[in-house]
């Protein structure tokens, strides 16, 4: 969707696009411990998968790794692409499009809450906390289907590190 606005300084018309905002989420899983779920410290409150907004100049894969680290303290190896979730109502704050990855923690014992997570813990897939924010219940249902062999995962590109924008910092 687009609309025209006028610059308040020069009066020149400019086009503004209203597109979904790109985000990423990670289903961090080990068969022994379960899946990592955080308790959100900011609205919308509830429990969620680690994830967040993709920054300018950052790949979805790099954003997934960064968000996992910031919110859980875990170094994660991405193992597949579960799917892309883009329902306009998936986030009550704005229309987002999330690239959802699966991953495994390299050192699960280092799990800790960080950034905007008030708590981070492993939960068995059959005993998840509620309420789950966003569409994360749907994402985890799809993940259960993948574990059962009823849904495939897509392959991955190697993550590209964040590069600074021209004249800015990373």
């Amino acid at each position: 969707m687009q609309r025209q606005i006028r610059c308040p300084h020069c009066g020149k018309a400019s086009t503004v696009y209203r597109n979904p905002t790109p985000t990423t989420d990670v289903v961090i899983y080990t068969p022994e411990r379960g899946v990592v779920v955080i308790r959100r410290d900011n609205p919308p409150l509830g429990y969620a998968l680690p994830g967040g907004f993709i920054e300018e100049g950052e790949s979805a894969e790099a954003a997934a790794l960064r968000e996992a680290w910031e919110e859980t303290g875990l170094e994660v190896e991405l193992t597949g692409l579960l799917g892309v979730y883009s329902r306009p109502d998936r986030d009550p704050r704005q229309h987002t499009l999330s690239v959802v990855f699966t991953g495994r923690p390299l050192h699960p014992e280092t799990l800790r809450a960080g950034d905007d997570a008030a708590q981070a813990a492993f939960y068995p897939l059959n005993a998840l906390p509620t309420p789950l924010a966003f569409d994360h219940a749907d994402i985890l249902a799809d993940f259960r289907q993948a574990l059962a062999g009823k849904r495939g995962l897509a392959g991955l590109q190697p993550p590209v590190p964040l590069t600074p924008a021209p004249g800015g910092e990373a």
Side-chain angles (χ1 to χ4, degrees):
M1 201 180 268
Q2 69 181 22
R3 64 186 175 98
Q4 294 289 316
I5 62 167
R6 296 241 174 245
C7 173
H9 303 290
C10 70
K12 184 177 175 182
S14 182
T15 302
V16 175
Y17 295 91
R18 293 179 28 160
N19 299 330
T21 302
T23 64
T24 186
D25 295 296
V26 189
V27 179
I28 304 169
Y29 176 77
T30 71
E32 307 80 32
R33 296 174 188 245
V35 65
V36 174
V37 176
I38 64 162
R39 185 168 49 85
R40 292 180 49 80
D41 200 25
N42 297 309
L45 299 176
Y47 293 89
L49 296 167
F53 296 99
I54 299 171
E55 296 178 358
E56 184 176 352
E58 185 177 44
S59 70
E61 295 85 355
L65 296 172
R66 176 184 52 76
E67 286 289 346
W69 171 258
E70 288 176 358
E71 294 184 355
T72 70
L74 292 173
E75 221 178 320
V76 173
E77 176 186 7
L78 299 179
T79 57
L81 173 65
L82 182 63
V84 175
Y85 295 78
S86 61
R87 250 188 13 236
D89 64 347
R90 69 177 302 274
D91 185 331
R93 299 169 295 180
Q94 65 188 47
H95 184 181
T96 62
L97 178 150
S98 188
V99 181
V100 180
F101 296 97
T102 58
R104 67 174 192 87
L106 298 181
H107 306 285
E109 67 281 358
T110 64
L111 179 64
R112 57 151 181 78
D115 196 24
D116 60 352
Q119 175 189 1
F122 283 96
Y123 291 90
L125 279 168
N126 62 356
L128 295 170
T130 57
L132 286 170
F134 314 112
D135 56 356
H136 291 190
D138 295 335
I139 292 169
L140 287 165
D142 290 346
F143 180 68
R144 283 187 201 92
Q145 292 287 309
L147 284 178
K150 297 178 181 176
R151 178 188 175 105
L153 297 178
L156 300 172
Q157 297 184 90
V160 177
L162 178 66
T163 55
E169 293 182 23

